[in-house]
Amino acid sequence: MNQLNKKPDPQSMEEFLLEEFLPYELSVAANHTSRLFARHYSKEFGLSIAEWRVMAVVGRLGDISPGGVVERAEMDKVKVSRAAASLVAAGLLEQQPDPDDGRVRRLRLTARGERVHQAIIPRARALEAQLAEGLSAAEWSALRQVLRRLTFYTKRLEEAEFTTTSG
């Protein structure tokens, strides 16, 4: 039985095949998907993946701190900071001091940013629909469910590991 059809055995001495190692497969799939979307966002709107993610979060929530974007987009602070600075320079985002805490900045789409955000959404959905065409409806649903469960479980493992190493 090949490695694709069974759960991993940590004690297995079978040949290690990187191309059948789940973290590698997830990374490859994510990279190909991200590059596909990035080509569309870059060609049509001049946006990087990080910039689009920041815009998507700010566009959905309306007014948010960069730290809030970090949490919701699962991006690191440096990427969010660079993307936000680039979007501000492009006139798509504005940055204001938080009225309750002058040390914190708040991000908000400009009118131009709102137009770009609204123009991207149907294109993003259409590209996602193209991806879904490669799977049956049941496979698409299962993929989404499995990814959410895997993400949830991975976060639990990370938290347990953090608790073990910091406590």
Side-chain angles (χ1 to χ4, degrees):
M1 180 182 285
N2 83 23
Q3 293 175 356
L4 295 176
N5 298 326
K6 62 182 179 180
K7 284 190 172 186
D9 173 6
Q11 304 303 316
S12 173
M13 293 307 292
E14 286 182 34
E15 179 181 10
F16 180 82
L17 301 173
L18 180 63
E19 63 275 10
E20 293 182 5
F21 184 53
L22 180 66
Y24 174 80
E25 289 182 284
L26 290 170
S27 178
V28 168
N31 287 339
H32 283 287
T33 303
S34 289
R35 282 195 303 266
L36 176 66
F37 278 78
R39 280 193 301 277
H40 287 262
Y41 299 150
S42 178
K43 181 171 47 172
E44 198 166 345
F45 301 100
L47 297 174
S48 69
I49 295 167
E51 290 165 345
W52 162 240
R53 286 184 185 171
V54 170
M55 283 192 69
V57 171
V58 174
R60 180 173 149 231
L61 300 174
D63 180 22
I64 188 170
S65 70
V69 174
V70 167
E71 289 175 25
R72 285 169 181 80
E74 301 253 354
M75 294 169 60
D76 68 44
K77 291 178 187 179
V78 173
K79 279 190 178 180
V80 169
S81 178
R82 287 182 181 153
S86 177
L87 292 166
V88 168
L92 300 171
L93 271 188
E94 60 184 10
Q95 206 169 199
Q96 303 284 327
D98 187 308
D100 299 325
D101 184 349
R103 298 168 297 168
V104 176
R105 310 295 280 166
R106 304 295 293 180
L107 301 172
R108 171 181 12 222
L109 292 177
T110 62
R112 181 170 173 250
E114 184 65 39
R115 287 190 302 275
V116 169
H117 181 259
Q118 291 303 312
I120 289 177
I121 291 171
R123 288 164 178 85
R125 287 190 172 139
L127 197 49
E128 183 182 36
Q130 278 185 294
L131 288 174
E133 288 174 12
L135 304 173
S136 70
E139 288 170 329
W140 183 256
S141 177
L143 173 64
R144 303 299 299 267
Q145 290 173 5
V146 167
L147 286 173
R148 287 183 185 111
R149 286 181 61 194
L150 185 60
T151 299
F152 174 79
Y153 187 68
T154 303
K155 286 180 178 181
R156 282 187 40 207
L157 289 174
E158 287 176 330
E159 289 167 5
E161 194 173 282
F162 177 76
T163 303
T164 303
T165 59
S166 66

